[in-house]
Amino acid sequence: MLEVSGLTKKYGKTLAADQIGFTVPDGKIGILLGPNGAGKSTVIKSIAGLVRYKGSIRIQGRDAGSLEAKRCFAYVPELPYMYDALTVREHLEFIIRAYHADVSEEEVGSLLNRFELMDKQEKLGNELSKGMMQKVSICCALIIKPRVILLDEPMVGLDPAAIRTLKEIILEQKEYGGTILISTHMLEMVKELWDVTFVMDKGRIIGTYPRETAANKDLEELYFSVTGQESGSDLTSKPVNAACDLASTGKKRPLEWEEAGRDRAGENGIGHPDSKTVREAGKDRR
Ligand code: ATP
């Protein structure tokens, strides 16, 4: 389960996230929608611990900054980043070791197969196409068998086969009780996936729409009617069901992440672990 409340993030004078609150329960897929600059990536990066914020974020009931929470969530960034000197296979091995994940050879092979990366295993990070990088990034996230997965525009750059595979995998994760949060503009791609949609604009959530109460609205209709980017709908900006919204706690982020330049560092971090997470994971095992 993913619980966000009172999430507020400012970049200088820009209020990118303003008292954001929502919950995505176990076994559900949440979609973050909103125009460019609405604050979607800021929310995802806050959950992933890549930017400082105010508010409370809990992953599987634990503070998002805790090691326990970091162990059970994965993040696929908008822009994949590869280590030049590591092969595709080594990227996966690195993540498996960093997380001390219990992963069999068959599971690695199966994931690589599903994303048609089997014959790319020995390619270095800087030898991959953009789509291949995106696939590796997704594999790195999935390989630790996360309970909560954050995907920021995951389908951009993927070929149709990979998009289909990713959708299948997302539905499998949901079946196993996983929690998935996807930020996207590709409404068509997520129309059969979503359980609850959060529409953002100007740093705020302007509507929360569980699928069962959004009746006959499809995502596109919902999006345009709520954001007002296109006229012709009777759906107002009132949430159909705001039960998912949580009250703000106003809790402050621990200072340990408040390093100069931190807001930008790690934005493109592969899969999830930045060096600090890896270090902490290692420390915890000793
Ligand atoms: P898009 O759909 O275009 O990816 P988004 O909904 O993900 O947009 P964000 O990237 O979260 O939006 O941006 C929200 C606001 O915060 C925007 O006004 C943006 O200019 C600002 N912003 C985002 N990142 C930074 C940053 N590192 N420094 C300063 N301002 C930022």
Side-chain angles (χ1 to χ4, degrees):
M1 182 186 291
L2 174 63
E3 300 160 281
V4 176
S5 73
L7 169 59
T8 299
K9 169 67 191 171
K10 269 185 169 183
Y11 296 104
K13 287 184 180 160
T14 305
L15 187 55
D18 183 9
Q19 293 289 322
I20 300 293
F22 63 86
T23 297
V24 186
D26 289 345
K28 298 287 181 196
I29 300 171
I31 307 289
L32 268 182
L33 294 183
N36 292 134
K40 304 177 298 294
S41 292
T42 299
V43 169
I44 297 255
K45 285 177 196 168
S46 300
I47 298 168
L50 297 175
V51 295
R52 289 174 289 153
Y53 61 87
K54 289 183 179 170
S56 164
I57 300 176
R58 297 185 75 77
I59 293 171
Q60 298 301 105
R62 302 201 162 97
D63 184 276
S66 69
L67 196 53
E68 291 83 2
K70 287 178 186 175
R71 278 215 177 100
C72 66
F73 87 87
Y75 163 62
V76 177
E78 194 173 3
L79 300 170
Y81 176 84
M82 298 290 106
Y83 296 108
D84 288 352
L86 295 187
T87 64
V88 167
R89 181 75 186 202
E90 286 166 346
H91 276 86
L92 288 173
E93 279 167 16
F94 170 61
I95 300 295
I96 291 169
R97 285 192 205 178
Y99 277 77
H100 303 281
D102 184 15
V103 183
S104 68
E105 184 57 35
E106 289 71 33
E107 287 169 323
V108 174
S110 159
L111 200 52
L112 290 172
N113 245 331
R114 292 185 76 173
F115 281 101
E116 299 178 332
L117 287 171
M118 213 52 174
D119 60 340
K120 309 286 183 304
Q121 282 188 75
E122 299 312 320
K123 271 192 178 284
L124 290 169
N126 61 10
E127 295 172 341
L128 300 174
S129 70
K130 182 175 175 293
M132 287 174 198
M133 287 187 197
Q134 184 68 357
K135 290 181 188 181
V136 176
S137 181
I138 292 167
C139 288
C140 284
L142 293 170
I143 200 69
I144 63 153
K145 304 172 192 165
R147 295 293 311 275
V148 176
I149 310 176
L150 313 171
L151 300 131
D152 198 352
E153 288 291 0
M155 288 156 191
V156 173
L158 292 184
D159 61 34
I163 289 175
R164 189 164 64 187
T165 300
L166 179 60
K167 286 202 243 180
E168 284 167 6
I169 289 178
I170 288 171
L171 288 171
E172 287 164 19
Q173 297 287 324
K174 170 184 155 125
E175 186 98 336
Y176 299 144
T179 302
I180 299 108
L181 181 66
I182 306 172
S183 163
T184 188
H185 290 295
M186 300 170 81
L187 307 184
E188 190 62 24
M189 302 288 176
V190 292
K191 69 178 182 193
E192 72 268 40
L193 299 179
W194 70 285
D195 291 305
V196 55
T197 291
F198 309 104
V199 183
M200 288 190 70
D201 195 18
K202 300 184 180 72
R204 300 186 70 98
I205 289 190
I206 58 171
T208 296
Y209 304 94
R211 188 192 272 270
E212 61 273 16
T213 56
N216 300 322
K217 301 278 176 193
D218 70 16
L219 268 190
E220 199 173 358
E221 212 181 329
L222 198 72
Y223 177 84
F224 287 124
S225 61
V226 177
T227 59
Q229 284 197 313
E230 190 182 82
S231 61
S233 170
D234 59 352
L235 196 67
T236 68
S237 61
K238 272 195 183 154
V240 173
N241 179 352
C244 293
D245 286 344
L246 295 174
S248 158
T249 64
K251 196 174 158 197
K252 197 169 183 324
R253 182 94 183 135
L255 286 171
E256 60 181 293
W257 290 87
E258 300 192 2
E259 298 152 18
R262 181 67 199 156
D263 282 359
R264 294 211 67 86
E267 272 182 13
N268 304 331
I270 181 160
H272 15 261
D274 48 70
S275 56
K276 186 178 180 97
T277 308
V278 172
R279 271 202 314 278
E280 284 180 355
K283 255 191 249 164
D284 193 60
R285 305 286 296 190
R286 275 183 231 125

